[in-house]
């Protein structure tokens, strides 16, 4: 009998299912297409906020918890599934920051290692770096994760779980109500409550950029909107780039096998996910600036994803008071992969009545829905 029905098969939905199942809960996960095929797959996988000093304490609290969780999590997934998510601590250089002093003040207050580095030393570490940069800050230990492999490992974990059922290619169009409580969903294949049960005990909405559309069927306004992001991919020698670099809003991320991701754009284009020549030209211009030797190299991948944009990037995690039984875990904006461990653990804590890992009030839907 499925006690929890999760709508959405990205990293948030998958990890929520895994954590609940580990606590003995029966879970039914519903995804409108293939698992992990939306923004979770499309993201860069940096295990850090791009500019942590610019975020609220609420977002930073989830980020710090997740950063500590990732290394051992990656090892456990690799050992249990044979799929290595490649959680690699490469470090990160920020170049020519406008708010460098704010960043240093934040690091000192938070006890984080962030140090100014002579630009000549950066060039020694990153021989391919373009000229013209003047200043740099470095944070060691910042990792990145190979997100498509992370998703494959999570999928394999759920496939081995006797108390998780996954339904792909099943689109949810609305919710089933009884006496004001949410007890299931309407789908392209009919009503889903819980297998061999009258109702699901809980329904979790973890549909990323599509979460707001589903909540409108209940007359609620969730301030989550799709923000399009495009990236390009190069294949280089494995030692071409040893660390992540970020300058003027664009980043380069090295993978273990020599692939390098460069991203990303921020576009308000509704639910349009089509890659564009305009974005391609913009990203190539960033490559020309960051890593000039790549400018003439072949782009082996170019894609777009839709981030679930939310006010201040603070996700919605908790039960919707107006509709008991309906829980949210959505609105992570551009940090879904980073915030997933803490967000899903917090959701699990709240659902099962455990002591929450962080103070839950900033993420509660109460007072944040229209």
């Amino acid at each position: 009998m499925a006690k929890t029905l999760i709508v959405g098969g990205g990293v948030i939905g998958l990890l929520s299912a895994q954590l609940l199942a580990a606590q003995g809960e029966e879970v039914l996960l519903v995804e409108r297409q293939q698992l992990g095929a939306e923004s979770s797959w499309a993201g860069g996988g940096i295990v850090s906020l791009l500019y942590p000093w610019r975020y609220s304490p609420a977002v930073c609290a989830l980020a710090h918890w997740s950063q500590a969780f990732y290394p051992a999590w990656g090892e456990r997934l690799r050992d249990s599934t044979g799929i290595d998510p490649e959680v690699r601590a490469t470090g990160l250089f920020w170049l020519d920051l406008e708010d460098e002093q704010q960043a240093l003040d934040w690091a000192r207050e938070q006890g984080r290692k962030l140090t100014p580095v002579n630009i000549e030393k950066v060039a020694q570490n990153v021989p391919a770096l373009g000229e013209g940069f003047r200043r740099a800050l470095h944070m060691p230990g910042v990792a990145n994760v190979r997100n498509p492999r992370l998703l494959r490992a999570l999928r394999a974990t759920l496939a081995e779980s006797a108390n998780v059922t996954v339904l792909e290619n099943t689109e949810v169009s609305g919710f089933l109500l009884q006496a004001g409580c949410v007890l299931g969903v309407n789908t392209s294949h009919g009503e889903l409550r819980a297998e061999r049960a009258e109702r699901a005990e809980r329904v979790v909405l973890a549909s990323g950029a599509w979460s707001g559309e589903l909540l409108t069927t209940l007359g609620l306004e969730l301030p989550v909107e799709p923000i399009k992001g495009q990236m390009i991919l190069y294949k280089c020698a494995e030692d071409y780039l040893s660390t992540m670099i970020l300058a003027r809003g664009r980043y380069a991320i090295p993978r273990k096998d020599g692939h390098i991701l460069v991203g990303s754009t921020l576009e308000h284009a509704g639910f349009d996910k089509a890659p564009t020549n305009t974005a391609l030209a913009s990203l190539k211009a960033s490559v020309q600036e960051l890593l000039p030797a790549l400018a003439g190299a072949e782009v082996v991948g170019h894609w777009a994803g839709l981030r679930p944009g939310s006010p201040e990037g603070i996700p919605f995690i908790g039960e919707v008071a107006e509709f008991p039984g309906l829980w949210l875990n959505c609105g992570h904006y551009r940090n879904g992969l980073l915030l997933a461990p803490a967000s899903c653990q917090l959701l699990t804590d709240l659902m099962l009545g455990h002591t929450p890992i962080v103070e839950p009030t900033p993420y509660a839907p109460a007072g944040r829905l229209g």
Side-chain angles (χ1 to χ4, degrees):
M1 180 174 66
K3 296 180 180 179
T4 300
L5 194 159
I6 297 175
V7 182
V11 66
I12 299 295
L14 293 172
L15 184 53
S16 296
Q18 181 189 358
L19 294 178
L20 286 166
Q23 293 294 316
E25 294 293 300
E26 299 289 333
V27 179
L28 173 61
L29 188 149
V30 184
E31 164 56 37
R32 68 187 189 93
Q33 51 174 324
Q34 297 296 303
L35 295 179
E38 291 292 353
S39 61
S40 296
W41 174 88
I46 299 177
V47 187
S48 171
L49 301 168
L50 291 186
Y51 304 97
W53 52 90
R54 299 177 188 175
Y55 280 87
S56 70
V59 177
C60 288
L62 295 177
H64 292 171
W65 194 95
S66 293
Q67 285 174 308
F69 183 87
Y70 250 103
W73 184 34
E75 292 179 4
R76 288 196 302 273
L77 287 172
R78 181 195 62 206
D79 294 344
S80 63
T81 68
I83 301 169
D84 186 1
E86 294 186 11
V87 180
R88 300 175 63 228
T90 62
L92 173 61
F93 283 106
W94 284 271
L95 306 178
D96 289 353
L97 282 169
E98 295 179 357
D99 53 356
E100 182 175 303
Q101 190 56 53
Q102 181 183 346
L104 292 169
D105 292 343
W106 168 86
R108 184 176 60 255
E109 293 168 2
Q110 298 295 319
R112 312 288 287 184
K113 292 183 179 180
L114 182 66
T115 55
V117 180
N118 184 283
I119 198 67
E120 285 75 21
K121 185 175 181 180
V122 178
Q124 292 174 6
N125 283 273
V126 188
L129 184 67
E131 298 180 354
F133 296 105
R134 296 172 298 162
R135 305 182 316 279
L137 296 181
H138 181 247
M139 182 176 284
V142 179
N144 65 78
V145 60
R146 195 82 172 256
N147 40 308
R149 298 189 182 191
L150 173 69
L151 293 162
R152 283 172 50 204
L154 278 171
R155 180 173 185 152
T157 298
L158 295 186
E160 294 297 319
S161 178
N163 50 340
V164 176
T165 301
V166 174
L167 295 179
E168 296 179 292
N169 301 308
T170 303
E171 186 165 6
V172 172
S173 57
F175 300 93
L176 301 176
L177 297 174
Q178 181 175 308
C181 297
V182 171
L183 52 86
V185 294
N186 287 306
T187 80
S188 52
H189 300 305
E191 293 185 354
L192 281 179
R193 301 175 185 233
E195 187 178 357
R196 298 185 301 278
E198 292 184 358
R199 55 161 287 179
E201 291 186 5
R202 295 172 291 260
V203 174
V204 178
L205 182 57
S207 299
W210 287 264
S211 298
E213 286 202 326
L214 282 173
L215 276 191
T216 61
T217 65
L218 294 175
L220 296 175
E221 182 180 344
L222 177 73
V224 170
E225 62 175 332
I227 307 294
K228 185 175 181 179
Q230 300 189 49
M231 304 185 71
I232 54 177
L233 180 70
Y234 294 91
K235 180 66 171 71
C236 304
E238 293 181 11
D239 60 352
Y240 182 82
L241 184 64
S242 61
T243 183
M244 293 180 285
I245 53 176
L246 197 163
R248 301 180 179 95
R250 295 282 167 84
Y251 52 74
I253 306 170
R255 299 306 198 202
K256 187 177 180 180
D257 61 2
H259 280 98
I260 296 175
L261 286 170
V262 176
S264 64
T265 63
L266 286 169
E267 306 168 56
H268 293 265
F271 288 94
D272 174 20
K273 292 191 302 177
T276 65
N277 289 331
T278 299
L280 180 62
S282 176
L283 291 167
K284 283 185 172 182
S286 294
V287 170
Q288 175 71 52
E289 186 176 30
L290 280 173
L291 303 167
L294 278 184
E298 179 187 1
V299 174
V300 298
H302 174 208
W303 64 87
L306 300 178
R307 310 176 185 90
S310 59
E312 298 183 74
I314 301 175
F316 295 80
I317 307 170
E319 189 170 20
V320 178
E322 297 92 329
F323 293 95
L326 176 60
W327 293 72
L328 304 183
N329 195 1
C330 54
H332 295 77
Y333 195 18
R334 64 192 308 176
N335 298 304
L337 284 158
L338 165 63
L339 303 183
S343 297
C344 297
Q345 186 61 59
L346 176 59
L347 177 78
T348 301
D349 291 341
L350 294 173
M351 281 186 159
L352 302 184
H354 299 165
T355 301
I357 56 166
V358 296
E359 166 55 45
T361 304
Y363 321 101
R368 302 176 66 201
L369 304 179

